[in-house]
Amino acid sequence: MLIIGCDYHPGFEQIAYVDSETGEFQERRLKHPEEAEKFYRALWEQSVKVRVGMEASGHARWFERLLEELSFELWTGDAAKIRAKRVRKKKTDREDARHILELLVENRFPKIWVPTWQNRDVRQLLWHRHRMVQTRTRIMNQLQAVAINEGVRYKKRLWREAGRKQLESLSLAPWASRRRKDLLEVLDRINPTIAELTQAIEEEAEKCPQTRRLMTHPGVGALTAVAFVLIIGEANRFDCGKQIAAYLGLVPEEDSSGERRRLGHISKQGNSLLRFLLVEAAQATARCDGRWRNQFFHLAQRRGRKIAKVAMARRLAVRLYWMWRREWNYEQLQSFGSHVGQPGNPHGVQ
C-alpha cells in the first residue's frame, strides 16, 4: 500500500508518501488540478492501493471526487488535533506533509466523520435559503430606512398591500427613487425563490423519519429538523447530550486551574447555521410552551435575555438529540424523560 500525507492548498498540494512494503519514501509538489490528477491516475493505472490523509478543508470537493472515482482511500483528519500532535515549532508545507504521513504510518491520525455527498448537497440547499433570506432582510431594512426618512413608520405593515402602495407613492429625489425601484424589483424576484427553496426543504423533511419525529417538538420546523439531522449525521456518534452541546459550540469557553474557575463566552466551534436555527427555534418553543416560557423568563431575569436564549438553545439541542437517539416523538419525551416524577416537572421535560 502507498500511504500519502497530503498538505492540501487550493492551488497545489505538497505530498509525502511511503510504500508500506518497500519502505521507499518520496516527496512531491503537485499543482491543481492537472498535475495532481495525472499523478493519481498514474497510480490507478498501476493498480496501486492508496491511502491519502489530509486535514479537513472546505475547498477540496473536486479532489475528494477524484479519489472516490479512483477507489482510493481518503482519510480526513481534525486539523486542530493534527496541529496539537506537532512537536517541532518549524512549520512548512513539507513539514506538514511529513507530519500527516507520520501520523498515518503510526496509526495516530485523528480521523473524523465525513458526511455523504447527498448530505452535503442538501446542506447547500439550507445554506442557499439562509443566504437568500439574509439578502431579503437587508433589502427590506433599506426600504424601511427610505420610508422612515420620509416620515412613514409602518414597520411590518410596510410589506402589506397598503404599505407597499404608500412606499411607491413617496416623492423622492431622482437617485433615491431609482434606488427604491431597484430594491423593490429585487425583493419581488427573491420572494418566489425563497418560497421555492422552503418548499424543497419541507419535501426533504417529509422523506426522513428522523426529521418528522423531531418536528413533533413545539417550535421545531422543517428547516431546524433537517439541519439538525444533516449536521449531526449519526446519533450514535455521541454518547451524551453534553457532547452534542460542545459539538455545536453552545458550551462556554473555560480557563480553569486549581481552585480558580473562569468561564467565558460560548465557544462557537460548531456549525454556525445550526446554532442560529436552534436559537430561533428555542425562542419559538418558549412562545408556545408555558413551561419553557417560565424557564426562559426566569433565566432572563437572572442572567439577561442573550444568555437565556443560548441556554434554551442548548437545552433544545440536547432534547432533539435524545428524541433522535431513542426514537421518541414529543409525547414520548414528555412521558419517559429523565425527570419524570420530580417536583414541578411531572412529565419529565428537561
Side-chain angles (χ1 to χ4, degrees), residues 6-14 30-37 62-63:
C6 175
D7 181 37
Y8 185 91
H9 296 263
F12 69 93
E13 62 184 76
Q14 179 71 37
L30 305 173
K31 291 184 179 180
H32 292 161
E34 293 83 3
E35 287 188 11
E37 185 170 353
W62 72 270
F63 183 62

Side-chain angles (χ1 to χ4, degrees), residues 156-171:
K156 292 183 179 181
R157 291 178 299 163
L158 187 65
W159 313 119
R160 299 174 185 171
E161 185 176 355
R164 173 72 177 257
K165 288 181 179 179
Q166 184 170 1
L167 176 62
E168 293 175 340
S169 65
L170 294 175
S171 179

Side-chain angles (χ1 to χ4, degrees), residues 169-230:
S169 65
L170 294 175
S171 179
L172 303 176
W175 282 111
S177 178
R178 170 65 183 274
R179 181 189 180 199
R180 175 186 58 188
K181 176 177 176 294
D182 291 347
L183 289 174
L184 287 172
E185 289 178 354
V186 175
L187 184 63
D188 291 338
R189 290 198 301 267
I190 204 172
N191 279 327
T193 301
I194 293 175
E196 181 182 354
L197 296 175
T198 302
Q199 183 180 358
I201 292 173
E202 292 173 352
E203 292 174 357
E204 289 292 334
E206 289 299 322
K207 296 177 184 177
C208 180
Q210 291 89 347
T211 55
R212 293 198 302 270
R213 190 177 299 117
L214 298 184
M215 287 168 60
T216 62
H217 192 290
V220 177
L223 181 59
T224 304
V226 171
F228 192 86
V229 171
L230 288 177

Side-chain angles (χ1 to χ4, degrees), residues 113 115 119 123 210 226-238 244 247 324:
W113 173 81
N119 182 309
R123 289 191 191 193
Q210 291 89 347
V226 171
F228 192 86
V229 171
L230 288 177
I231 293 166
I232 299 303
E234 300 172 0
N236 57 13
R237 292 173 56 206
F238 305 92
I244 285 287
Y247 182 75
W324 182 5

Side-chain angles (χ1 to χ4, degrees), residues 57 78-79 88 90 130 134 141 149 151 159 201 209 248 271 302 306:
S57 173
D78 187 321
R88 298 177 181 176
K90 182 180 179 181
H130 182 62
Q134 287 181 325
N141 289 342
N149 281 328
W159 313 119
I201 292 173
L248 297 176
N271 186 279
R302 289 176 50 235
K306 292 182 179 179

Side-chain angles (χ1 to χ4, degrees), residues 115-165:
T116 63
W117 289 107
Q118 183 181 6
N119 182 309
R120 296 187 189 186
D121 191 46
V122 181
R123 289 191 191 193
Q124 292 299 312
L125 169 63
L126 299 178
W127 273 111
H128 184 39
R129 183 194 178 277
H130 182 62
R131 295 304 187 196
M132 295 293 282
V133 170
Q134 287 181 325
T135 301
R136 181 177 65 180
T137 302
R138 295 188 185 101
I139 293 171
M140 294 171 71
N141 289 342
Q142 292 180 65
L143 290 170
Q144 285 280 9
V146 171
I148 291 173
N149 281 328
E150 299 301 321
V152 177
R153 295 194 63 203
Y154 263 30
K155 298 184 179 180
K156 292 183 179 181
R157 291 178 299 163
L158 187 65
W159 313 119
R160 299 174 185 171
E161 185 176 355
R164 173 72 177 257
K165 288 181 179 179

Side-chain angles (χ1 to χ4, degrees), residues 243-260:
Q243 293 182 0
I244 285 287
Y247 182 75
L248 297 176
L250 290 170
V251 296
E253 297 176 346
E254 184 171 359
D255 182 15
S256 302
S257 179
E259 298 181 356
R260 177 183 62 81

